[in-house]
Amino acid sequence: MVRYGIIGCGHIAKKHVEAIRAVDGAQLVAVCDTDPGRMEAFLEEGVEGYTDSADLVSRSDLDVVNICTPSGLHPDLTVQAAEAGKHVLVEKPMALTMAEADRMIQACADNGVKLSVVHPNRFRPAIRELKKRLERGAFGKISHANATLRWNRNQSYYDQAPWRGTQAMDGGVLMNQAIHNLDLLLWTAGDVEEVASYQATRLRNIEAEDTSVSIVKFKNGALGVIEAAVTLYPRNLEESLSLFGETGTAVIGGPTANWIKTWKFADLTDEEAEEAIRQVEADPFGMPGHQCLIQDMTEAVRTGGEPMVTGEDGRRALGLVVACQTAAERGEPVSMDEVLKGGGCQ
């Protein structure tokens, strides 16, 4: 049995609890929050509550710590868990700066524990099908790719908690909402070479940006556009990932990127393409992404293998966000290599 403890009992922690309960061989044994009232919904037989994270990570029977706090708290809690010999599954973004991400990765390496970052969208059926097509070379040479997030987070959302919308704990639309889509962009279109970006705080009364538009150049020569905003009226409109190549065109979209909107390939007939779309539409959500991650971490702990979404993967997605922020701040294109080496906004 792989035993889990959760630090941070806010909204996202509920998904972690449901996922742990659904995975054979995983067991929730502890939760922690500085507000005892937030823990009440999670306390049941066999689950102990703590208000100090140091007490939770010191448990000898604990294997994995799931970090579900505001983003700015992730680094210190990850290091604390790693130094206590616990594996770590940390919510996105893993950190708000490259230096903090590196500190987390190093702490886990120094203490011989695993680090996985919550990027559950990789497990969506439509995204998995897209990845298979890429691995088979069905797109040929990629010309360009788009990652689009057009969502609504109204002012009442930001007013619910004092950390939301701040630079220190939230990080803005790219960091807090669009980073999942950026992870998918990197996972499918490849590593980025250079970024140019504009960002603005147009409609929300927050410190961080609520709107961002960036142009990226990939190392393979392809171009890309990243559009992200939480200003859409009156509700979420679209989350999409689009890839365009010499022998293939694919758009995964909908309010969340769960549905195949366009699926055209030189090696598929129209009937075969339609069948692929129907198969995804029959179960567009599949196994919940958090459950996939818990299942994966449980197996990694048992076998000694590496998680499917590693700390380095989380760092790569964070790096693209930091590159966009840095390019917007400087008003000029930014080298991705510079950012990944620790340059850029910190």
Side-chain angles (χ1 to χ4, degrees), residues 226-287:
I226 298 168
E227 177 194 339
V230 286
T231 57
L232 270 291
Y233 177 85
R235 62 185 65 86
N236 289 359
L237 175 65
E238 175 188 2
E239 178 190 19
S240 64
L241 179 69
S242 306
L243 265 71
F244 308 99
E246 59 183 337
T247 55
T249 295
V251 179
I252 311 298
T256 55
N258 285 91
W259 290 268
I260 297 176
K261 296 297 186 178
T262 302
W263 200 251
K264 300 290 185 181
F265 296 95
D267 66 341
L268 292 182
T269 65
D270 288 345
E271 290 76 16
E272 289 171 329
E274 288 298 322
E275 177 58 25
I277 294 172
R278 282 194 295 269
Q279 288 180 3
V280 168
E281 287 180 344
D283 185 17
F285 297 98
M287 180 187 292

Side-chain angles (χ1 to χ4, degrees), residues 186-203:
L186 292 168
W187 197 49
T188 54
D191 291 333
V192 168
E193 180 177 306
E194 189 175 77
V195 178
S197 185
Y198 287 98
Q199 297 186 13
T201 308
R202 293 290 297 161
L203 301 182

Side-chain angles (χ1 to χ4, degrees), residues 26-289:
Q27 180 183 5
L28 180 65
V29 298
V31 295
C32 176
D33 200 288
T34 54
D35 180 354
R38 283 198 293 260
M39 288 191 289
E40 289 183 4
F42 303 102
L43 297 178
E44 57 184 39
E45 185 177 354
V47 180
E48 192 166 350
Y50 300 87
T51 55
D52 189 331
S53 60
D55 293 331
L56 180 143
V57 302
S58 68
R59 285 183 60 140
S60 60
D61 64 341
L62 193 64
D63 300 300
V64 183
V65 173
N66 295 22
I67 298 175
C68 303
T69 61
S71 304
L73 301 177
H74 292 174
D76 285 346
L77 291 169
T78 295
V79 172
Q80 183 184 58
E83 291 179 345
K86 313 304 181 189
H87 306 292
V88 177
L89 178 61
V90 61
E91 270 292 338
K92 60 77 190 170
M94 65 182 296
L96 299 181
T97 70
M98 302 306 292
E100 292 283 47
D102 289 341
R103 186 163 70 94
M104 297 162 70
I105 291 169
Q106 190 63 52
C108 290
D110 289 346
N111 291 279
V113 298
K114 304 178 192 307
L115 174 61
S116 183
V117 182
V118 176
H119 282 297
N121 296 7
R122 291 187 182 197
F123 300 95
R124 291 173 173 175
I127 297 298
R128 302 297 283 186
E129 289 302 311
L130 178 64
K131 185 69 171 178
K132 289 177 186 176
R133 293 265 81 200
L134 281 162
E135 289 173 346
R136 292 171 185 165
F139 283 87
K141 186 177 182 179
I142 300 293
S143 63
H144 65 295
N146 289 359
T148 304
L149 183 107
R150 296 167 175 164
W151 278 1
N152 172 276
R153 295 291 183 271
N154 57 27
Q155 192 61 45
S156 64
Y157 164 85
Y158 289 103
D159 292 342
Q160 285 175 10
W163 65 270
R164 287 182 174 172
T166 64
Q167 297 287 9
M169 290 289 165
D170 179 304
V173 61
L174 286 178
M175 195 73 81
N176 199 26
Q177 281 82 30
I179 195 167
H180 284 316
N181 213 13
L182 300 194
D183 173 66
L184 296 182
L185 182 68
L186 292 168
W187 197 49
T188 54
D191 291 333
V192 168
E193 180 177 306
E194 189 175 77
V195 178
S197 185
Y198 287 98
Q199 297 186 13
T201 308
R202 293 290 297 161
L203 301 182
R204 306 297 175 238
N205 182 24
I206 57 176
E207 289 180 359
E209 86 281 354
D210 60 18
T211 307
S212 176
V213 179
S214 305
I215 299 172
V216 301
K217 180 181 179 182
F218 294 93
K219 288 190 174 182
N220 59 18
L223 303 179
V225 176
I226 298 168
E227 177 194 339
V230 286
T231 57
L232 270 291
Y233 177 85
R235 62 185 65 86
N236 289 359
L237 175 65
E238 175 188 2
E239 178 190 19
S240 64
L241 179 69
S242 306
L243 265 71
F244 308 99
E246 59 183 337
T247 55
T249 295
V251 179
I252 311 298
T256 55
N258 285 91
W259 290 268
I260 297 176
K261 296 297 186 178
T262 302
W263 200 251
K264 300 290 185 181
F265 296 95
D267 66 341
L268 292 182
T269 65
D270 288 345
E271 290 76 16
E272 289 171 329
E274 288 298 322
E275 177 58 25
I277 294 172
R278 282 194 295 269
Q279 288 180 3
V280 168
E281 287 180 344
D283 185 17
F285 297 98
M287 180 187 292

